[in-house]
Structure formats: structure tokens, C-alpha cells
Amino acid sequence: MRRPDGRRVEIDVQMAGLVQALWATGLDTIECCEDTGDFYALGGAALSPAERFRRATYFDGFAYLGMPTPDLQLLLGIAHDLRDAQWAAASVLEPTGLRPESVLYFPADRIDELAELLARRSAPTPAQH
């Protein structure tokens, strides 16, 4: 896919519609994964085998979005009605302060629903024509 700035990026197939909808809404992305459990199970991180297994089990069935923190905050507001206790957002605290990006873990079976919500939000209304 091409980012709004023209750079080519690889996006997981199931996340492509969501990422396009995020970009159309003016929100930026840093990285994403359609199944975070599989990412860890398949060795997608430099971790011990035991830690990869723990994370693969914990994140099985969860999607992942990495975004600039202000954009993720906006997304959380937009997706308020979709969110439940399974959704978790996190920021990393460094000695110098918070990192500029944050992450969202949410059930992978909600990817399309979130994309549709964003698409409706970014679609022109009849008054905009």
C-alpha cells in the first residue's frame, strides 16, 4: 500500500481496510498486526522461547495498532462505542518521558467493524457535495 506521504508499506491483509480508513480520517499509523499472537508464535520478536510462548498465548486473537499518541487518543474517542474490557491501550515510559507513540490491542474480530466506523466518519455527508 501507499501511505498518504507516498511511501510504500506492507500491511497485513486483514488490516489493510482499517489502515486505509485511519489514513482517510487523517490519523497516522506506525505499525500494525492482524494477529499479535501469531506474530509472537512465529518468532516475530527477539525474545526467549518461553517469553514468545507466553506472549503468543496472551495475545492470541488480538490485533495491534501502533500510532502517534495523539492520533491513538482520537481513535479511542471515535471508537468509544466499540470498546470493551478487551481493548487495551498502552504507552511506554522512558527515563526522558513518554515515547511519542502508543499501542492499541483489540480483538481481531473487531477489525472490520472499526474500519467501517472510520469509513462512515470520513465519508462525505450530503451537505459536503
Side-chain angles (χ1 to χ4, degrees):
M1 290 176 48
R2 286 210 185 273
R3 292 179 49 85
D5 64 11
R7 289 183 293 145
R8 291 192 58 76
V9 293
E10 290 186 26
I11 305 291
D12 289 349
V13 173
Q14 191 177 353
M15 295 292 284
L18 173 57
V19 170
Q20 286 177 326
L22 287 163
W23 293 343
T25 306
L27 301 175
D28 196 9
T29 59
I30 297 168
E31 58 189 350
C32 65
C33 185
E34 66 190 23
D35 190 328
T36 309
D38 276 355
F39 170 79
Y40 287 113
L42 299 173
L47 301 167
S48 71
E51 182 61 14
R52 276 198 315 272
F53 176 78
R54 185 187 76 77
R55 291 186 189 196
T57 303
Y58 184 80
F59 289 112
D60 183 41
F62 281 84
Y64 166 92
L65 276 173
M67 301 174 68
T69 299
D71 289 5
L72 182 53
Q73 288 174 299
L74 290 169
L75 176 61
L76 291 173
I78 293 167
H80 181 268
D81 291 341
L82 296 181
R83 293 173 35 217
D84 60 26
Q86 292 184 307
W87 292 53
S91 296
V92 176
L93 181 61
E94 300 282 354
T96 56
L98 287 175
R99 281 191 188 166
E101 68 276 347
S102 295
V103 297
L104 174 65
Y105 297 97
F106 65 102
D109 63 3
R110 306 296 295 274
I111 293 171
D112 292 340
E113 192 174 358
L114 180 55
E116 290 167 11
L117 174 69
L118 289 163
R120 285 192 307 270
R121 183 176 175 87
S122 64
T125 62
Q128 292 175 316
H129 286 289

